[in-house]
Amino acid sequence: MKRIKAACLEQTVHFQLKDGISSELARQQIREEYESYKMKMDRHRTQYKIMEEAEQPDGSLIIKIKKQNNTQPVGDYLD
């Protein structure tokens, strides 16, 4: 029998601009969506670590994140 001792997801997430709105408003909406994403993980008590955050020239945002998979323990992945 095997058991998972620790697990972690590593993702690259691209928060993209919405079409048809001004660039300043689009940038603000991206920041709000990003903050909402983090608050949702906090609300669900998902352990995570943002490894990299890069704003693109068009105003979109790319993050690299390690986060807990379901309720599996994360071990030392987030250290």
Side-chain angles (χ1 to χ4, degrees):
M1 180 192 305
K2 63 182 176 188
R3 297 221 186 259
I4 297 173
K5 296 190 89 134
C8 189
L9 293 175
E10 187 170 331
Q11 297 177 325
T12 301
V13 182
H14 189 184
F15 294 90
Q16 297 179 321
L17 298 169
K18 294 180 176 58
D19 294 330
I21 57 176
S22 71
S23 65
E24 188 57 41
L25 180 60
R27 289 171 193 251
Q28 180 182 353
Q29 287 181 345
I30 285 174
R31 281 288 166 191
E32 289 172 1
E33 183 180 4
Y34 175 50
E35 292 303 319
S36 175
Y37 177 72
K38 291 192 302 186
M39 286 189 325
K40 181 179 177 184
M41 287 189 294
D42 291 338
R43 229 181 7 256
H44 289 112
R45 294 183 174 89
T46 301
Q47 295 178 28
Y48 66 94
K49 183 176 185 179
I50 309 259
M51 306 304 290
E52 185 180 326
E53 180 180 314
E55 188 168 336
Q56 302 303 297
D58 67 353
S60 65
L61 181 65
I62 296 177
I63 64 166
K64 292 187 180 184
I65 184 171
K66 286 185 179 181
K67 69 180 192 175
Q68 182 178 23
N69 182 27
N70 299 329
T71 57
Q72 297 291 334
V74 293
D76 61 354
Y77 284 110
L78 301 182
D79 292 338

